[in-house]
Every structure is written in structure tokens, then in C-alpha cells.
């Protein structure tokens, strides 16, 4: 077995070990790499910035499951911080059955940080099944879909919901999703009702949403942990997103190195094999 | 009658939902609102159906002494425990309640860990399978490397043109390809919807006739 074949048969557990080290070390020794904000993130930031304080609320639908928490929760926290610190009211809900506890955790954490008051600055509507029916229903009347909030208080008794009937009273809806739920918001809220919709999605599916961004159907897009880091940069509050960027940088460089090494090994071994066949 | 009634209901509901979009009359819009409420109620039953199906499948595995029935026990015990905690704990919805405690400390880390394992497999696959064998594969490989570098801050440090190249790849070739696929999918969806509404496609009734 020549050196190229040895490289190709490399025990993958060594790769796993190197990846683990490359992920963990930047958390203890941050590189502090600068974050450049891209236009899709800046557009979402500007859309939130354009909402007048103590007026109509942002609708934040945290439609993610535990699997995608590391990527999507930093985005949710950054947008919640941005909104509540500017006194922009926030209505939080979820369309994912496993999203209830996660949405509640995110909004409670930021509300405590910012000293926001439940019912006046933010409220939590909880979960409703039926993604398309719920999104369409919100365009008719929020109270038809969510007659009460997650804790059983009728929406009519929540001060910040006074005068909020449907999408006409919501300047921006933001969804955080690791699945097709973000697309459902475009299909059923943006298209029929003209609702401004922005999305935060996992890096794996972010490329799927660029057509909606260029067509204007999305008011902004956060893609993966990089999106969260950029949003944190726009509000100058670095948290999990920016912290994760150093690890992600090292992993991406490592994967490129592995691709190059894999190709060197493959073509080296192929060349040796051809030469050996010719000699034989 | 067993076939005609569902087909007629499907035709009426499907046609109404398509037509109501163009008729702003209050009677039509009220009916639309009512149908949306029904739809939400119907979709809620999907959870019940899913739960019953899950229980039946694992029950049969245990009953038939399948080789991997241990996992079925774990699934059923987990299901019963979580439903029990959710229903019977007085403050099941409150943060810090038993249900929330198990969810936040078991479900969340377990699922996040499973998803995180993807990084290890992607790295291993990148080494073993991502080969520049053809021109198309080489183009894909080069584009992937540019996007990977452009999506992290270190790309800016390596060469300032990388983020711009990444944005161009995402905004131009990516959007062009995705639009083509989406238009194709959209036309396919419309054709399928029409076939269902007109009763040509009847697989949803549980038979081919």
C-alpha cells in the first residue's frame, strides 16, 4: 500500500477527533474575527428599526425544534433584544409542536434581560396546529386562531393586543425555522395578504430562500449561525452567534483542507495504479 | 355513494377555496373563515392519528418479540411518561414544571447533539467522496469552497473578494437554478391539485379507482 492509498484508507475517527478539537478550542481561545454584515441581514435589521416604538408589534414565530436550537435560537434572541430594547412590542408564537418550550424560553430570557412587561411589551400565544390554516387565519383575525394567549388570558384582556386584529396591524412577521415552515409564511402570509415576512433559517436550507429575497417576497434573511452573528453585530451585542463564528471558521477551513487532501490522495492513487498497470 | 360523496365534497371545497380568493363578498369570506377553522380542527386530529399509529406499530413489535423491541419499550415508556407529565402535573405549562424540565434537559440536548453529529459526517464525507472527477464536479467543488469560506469571517481575512464572490454565487447561479426547480414544482403542484379536485387522482381515498 503506497502513501496515497494509506491516505485514502485513513481511519475516520482521526477526522472526528480533529473536528472536535477545531470546534472546542475557539470557544476557550476566541480569535475575535471581524463580522461583516451582508445585505439580507441588514435589510431585516432595517425593517425592525423602521417600526415605531410602543406601536404595532412584530410577530415573531419561533418555528424550530430542539435539533436546530444552536443555529436558530441565537437569531431569535438577537431579534427579541433588538425589538424589546427599542420598545417595539413583540408577539411570540410557534407553529412547531416541539417549539412551545423553546419559544417560551427565548422570550422569557430576553424579557428578563430588558425588564419588559408581559402583556404590555410582549406576549406569548403558544402553539396552534395546522401551519397553513393558522397563517391564513391570522390574516383574517388573530382572535379566531388564538382566542387566548399561552396562559389562558383572552387576547382582548392583553393591553398590547388592543387594536391588533390581523396582518394589517402587524408591520413585520419574522419566522425562525429549520424546515419548510418559513416557505409557508411566504405562501400564506406574504402572497395573499401582502404581509412583510422575514426569515431566519438553518444554513443547510438558506440557499433555498434566496429566490424569495431577490423577488422581494422576503424582507430579510438570516442564514445559519452566520446570520445570527451578523444580526448581533448590527445591534452591537455579541452573544452565541459571534462566539460560534470562530469555531465555524476553523471547521470550514478544515473541511476545505480535507477536500484538498482527499483529492490529492485519490488522484495520486489513481496515477500510481495507472502506472502500475502500464508497467505490468 | 361511498365514492361519490367524498369526491363531491373534495370538488366543492377545492373549487370554493380557489374561487373565494377573487370574490370579496362577505358571505363568501365568512364561509372561507369557517372553512379555515374546520381545517385547523381537522389538522389537530393528525396528532391523534400519529400517536395511535406510533403506539400500534411499537405494540406489535413488542407483541411479536421483534429483535429490536427494546427500542419500542423506550419509545412507549417515553411517550406515556411525557403525556402523563403534560396532563397530570398541575403546572405543566410553566417553565420549571416537570414537563418543561424533562423537555429542556433531555429532549433539547439529545436532539441538538444528533443534529451536531452532522458536522463530523460532513467532514468525513468531504475527505472521502468530494472528488473533482469531472468538469461539473470540479465547478461544484470550487463553488462549495468559495461559499464555505465566504460564509465565515475568516474568508474576509484570506481575500476580501471572497464574500462578494459568495454573494454572487448565492444571488445569481443559485437563484437561477432554484427558480427553475420551483417553477417546475409549482406547475406540478397545480396539475396535481387540479387532478384531485376534478376527481382524476383518487389515491387519497385509499384506492386507485
Amino acid at each position: 500500500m503506497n502513501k496515497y492509498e494509506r491516505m485514502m484508507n485513513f481511519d475516520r475517527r482521526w477526522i472526528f477527533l480533529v473536528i472536535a478539537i477545531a470546534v472546542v478550542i475557539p470557544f476557550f481561545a476566541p480569535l475575535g474575527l471581524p463580522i461583516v454584515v451582508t445585505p439580507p441581514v441588514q435589510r431585516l435589521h432595517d425593517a425592525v428599526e423602521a417600526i415605531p416604538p410602543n406601536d404595532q408589534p412584530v410577530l415573531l414565530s419561533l418555528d424550530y425544534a430542539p435539533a436546530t436550537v444552536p443555529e436558530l435560537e441565537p437569531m431569535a434572541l438577537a431579534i427579541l433584544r433588538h425589538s424589546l430594547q427599542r420598545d417595539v412590542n413583540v408577539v411570540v408564537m410557534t407553529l412547531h409542536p416541539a417549539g412551545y418550550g423553546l419559544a417560551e424560553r427565548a422570550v422569557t430570557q430576553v424579557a428578563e434581560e430588558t425588564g419588559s412587561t408581559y402583556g404590555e411589551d410582549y406576549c406569548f400565544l403558544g402553539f396552534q396546529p395546522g401551519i397553513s390554516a393558522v397563517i391564513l387565519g391570522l390574516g383574517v383575525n388573530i382572535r379566531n386562531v388564538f382566542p387566548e394567549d399561552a396562559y389562558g388570558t383572552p387576547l382582548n384582556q392583553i393591553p398590547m393586543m388592543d387594536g391588533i386584529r390581523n396582518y394589517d396591524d402587524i408591520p413585520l412577521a419574522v419566522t425562525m425555522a429549520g424546515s419548510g415552515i418559513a416557505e409557508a409564511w411566504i405562501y400564506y402570509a406574504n402572497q395573499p395578504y401582502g404581509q412583510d415576512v422575514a426569515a431566519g433559517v438553518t444554513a443547510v436550507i438558506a440557499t433555498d430562500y434566496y429566490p424569495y429575497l431577490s423577488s422581494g417576497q422576503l424582507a430579510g434573511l438570516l442564514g445559519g449561525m452566520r446570520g445570527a452573528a451578523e444580526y448581533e453585530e448590527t445591534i452591537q451585542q455579541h452573544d452565541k452567534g459571534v462566539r460560534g463564528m470562530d469555531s465555524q471558521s476553523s471547521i470550514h477551513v478544515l473541511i476545505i483542507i480535507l477536500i484538498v487532501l482527499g483529492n490529492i490522495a485519490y488522484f495520486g492513487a489513481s496515477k500510481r495504479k495507472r502506472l502500475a498497470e502500464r508497467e505490468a | 355513494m361511498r365514492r361519490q360523496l367524498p369526491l363531491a365534497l373534495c370538488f366543492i371545497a377545492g373549487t370554493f377555496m380557489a374561487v373565494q380568493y377573487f370574490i370579496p363578498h362577505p358571505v363568501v369570506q365568512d364561509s372561507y373563515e369557517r372553512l379555515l377553522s374546520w381545517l385547523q380542527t381537522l389538522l389537530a386530529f393528525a396528532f391523534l392519528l400519529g400517536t395511535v399509529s406510533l403506539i400500534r406499530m411499537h405494540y406489535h413489535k413488542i407483541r411479536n418479540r421483534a429483535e429490536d423491541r427494546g427500542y419500542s419499550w423506550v419509545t412507549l415508556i417515553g411517550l406515556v411518561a411525557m403525556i402523563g407529565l403534560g396532563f397530570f402535573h398541575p403546572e405543566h405549562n410553566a417553565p420549571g414544571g416537570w414537563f418543561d424540565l424533562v423537555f429542556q434537559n433531555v429532549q433539547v440536548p439529545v436532539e441538538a447533539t444528533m443534529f451536531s453529529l452532522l458536522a463530523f459526517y460532513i467532514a468525513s464525507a468531504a475527505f472521502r467522496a468530494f472528488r473533482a472527477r469531472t468538469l461539473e464536479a470540479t465547478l461544484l467543488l470550487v463553488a462549495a469552497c468559495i461559499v464555505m469560506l465566504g460564509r465565515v469571517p475568516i474568508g474576509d481575512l484570506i481575500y476580501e473578494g471572497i464574500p462578494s464572490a459568495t454573494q454572487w454565487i448565492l444571488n445569481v447561479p443559485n437563484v437561477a437554478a432554484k427558480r427553475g426547480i420551483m417553477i417546475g414544482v409549482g406547475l406540478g403542484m397545480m396539475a396535481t391539485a387540479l387532478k384531485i379536485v376534478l376527481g382524476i387522482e383518487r389515491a387519497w381515498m385509499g384506492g386507485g379507482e
Side-chain angles (χ1 to χ4, degrees), chain A residues 54-59 89-91 119-120 123 125 138-144 146 155-156 158-172 195:
Chain A
N54 298 311
D55 198 20
Q56 294 175 324
V58 171
L59 177 63
N89 295 345
V90 184
V91 177
E120 288 177 17
C123 67
L125 303 184
L138 291 173
V140 177
N141 191 340
I142 293 175
R143 284 158 186 80
N144 290 353
F146 291 99
L155 253 53
N156 290 334
I158 297 175
M160 64 167 278
M161 295 305 286
D162 192 25
I164 309 299
R165 184 179 148 76
N166 54 30
Y167 291 134
D168 291 341
D169 310 307
I170 295 170
L172 179 68
Q195 170 66 37

Side-chain angles (χ1 to χ4, degrees), chain A residues 10 128 214 252 263 266, chain B residues 33 40 128 132-133 148 179:
Chain A
F10 193 58
Q128 279 290 347
S214 69
H252 281 204
N263 276 281
Y266 172 74
Chain B
E33 283 180 38
Q40 215 186 321
R128 287 169 188 280
R133 283 196 185 102
M148 268 198 286
R179 277 199 181 137

Side-chain angles (χ1 to χ4, degrees), chain B residues 58-74:
Chain B
H58 289 285
Y59 169 72
H60 285 300
K61 272 191 171 182
I62 291 167
R63 200 178 152 194
N64 297 333
R65 298 187 158 272
E67 200 179 325
D68 54 355
R69 63 184 180 281
Y71 299 116
S72 297
W73 274 114
V74 173

Side-chain angles (χ1 to χ4, degrees), chain A residues 7 10 16 33-34 36 67 98 101 105 128-130 140 207-208 210 212 214 223 226 249 252 262-263 266-267, chain B residues 33 40 43 103-104 111 115 120 123 127-128 130-133 148 151-153 156-157 171 174 178-179 182:
Chain A
M7 269 174 81
F10 193 58
F16 295 164
L33 296 168
V36 177
R105 179 171 90 174
Q128 279 290 347
V140 177
T207 52
D208 292 356
Y210 274 79
Y212 301 117
S214 69
R226 164 83 190 217
S249 286
H252 281 204
N263 276 281
Y266 172 74
F267 286 109
Chain B
E33 283 180 38
Q40 215 186 321
L43 289 169
F103 177 77
Q104 301 286 359
E111 276 198 39
F115 197 63
F120 294 93
F127 180 72
R128 287 169 188 280
F130 214 171
R131 304 278 186 254
R133 283 196 185 102
M148 268 198 286
R151 293 295 297 160
V152 286
D156 306 330
L157 294 181
N171 284 326
N174 169 56
K178 289 297 297 183
R179 277 199 181 137
M182 285 160 76

Side-chain angles (χ1 to χ4, degrees), chain B residues 53-158:
Chain B
S53 170
L54 185 83
I55 291 170
R56 277 185 61 179
M57 192 186 88
H58 289 285
Y59 169 72
H60 285 300
K61 272 191 171 182
I62 291 167
R63 200 178 152 194
N64 297 333
R65 298 187 158 272
E67 200 179 325
D68 54 355
R69 63 184 180 281
Y71 299 116
S72 297
W73 274 114
V74 173
T75 306
L76 289 181
I77 292 168
L79 182 77
V80 171
M82 287 305 276
I83 290 175
L85 287 177
F87 268 106
F88 300 116
H89 194 269
E91 291 176 337
H92 64 276
N93 271 343
W98 288 5
F99 183 90
D100 187 60
L101 214 64
V102 177
F103 177 77
Q104 301 286 359
N105 296 295
V106 178
Q107 178 98 2
V108 174
V110 165
E111 276 198 39
T113 304
M114 290 296 287
F115 197 63
S116 306
L117 290 177
L118 207 61
F120 294 93
Y121 291 113
I122 285 175
S124 177
F127 180 72
R128 287 169 188 280
F130 214 171
R131 304 278 186 254
R133 283 196 185 102
T134 60
L135 178 66
E136 291 87 347
T138 310
L139 281 173
L140 189 68
L141 200 146
V142 171
C145 289
I146 292 171
V147 172
M148 268 198 286
L149 282 176
R151 293 295 297 160
V152 286
I154 207 162
D156 306 330
L157 294 181
I158 293 170

Side-chain angles (χ1 to χ4, degrees), chain A residues 184-217:
Chain A
W185 279 97
I186 298 165
Y187 297 159
Y188 302 117
N190 175 267
Q191 283 310 292
Y193 297 104
Q195 170 66 37
D196 277 349
V197 173
V201 295
T202 50
V204 174
I205 58 168
T207 52
D208 292 356
Y209 289 86
Y210 274 79
Y212 301 117
L213 202 60
S214 69
S215 66
Q217 288 164 294

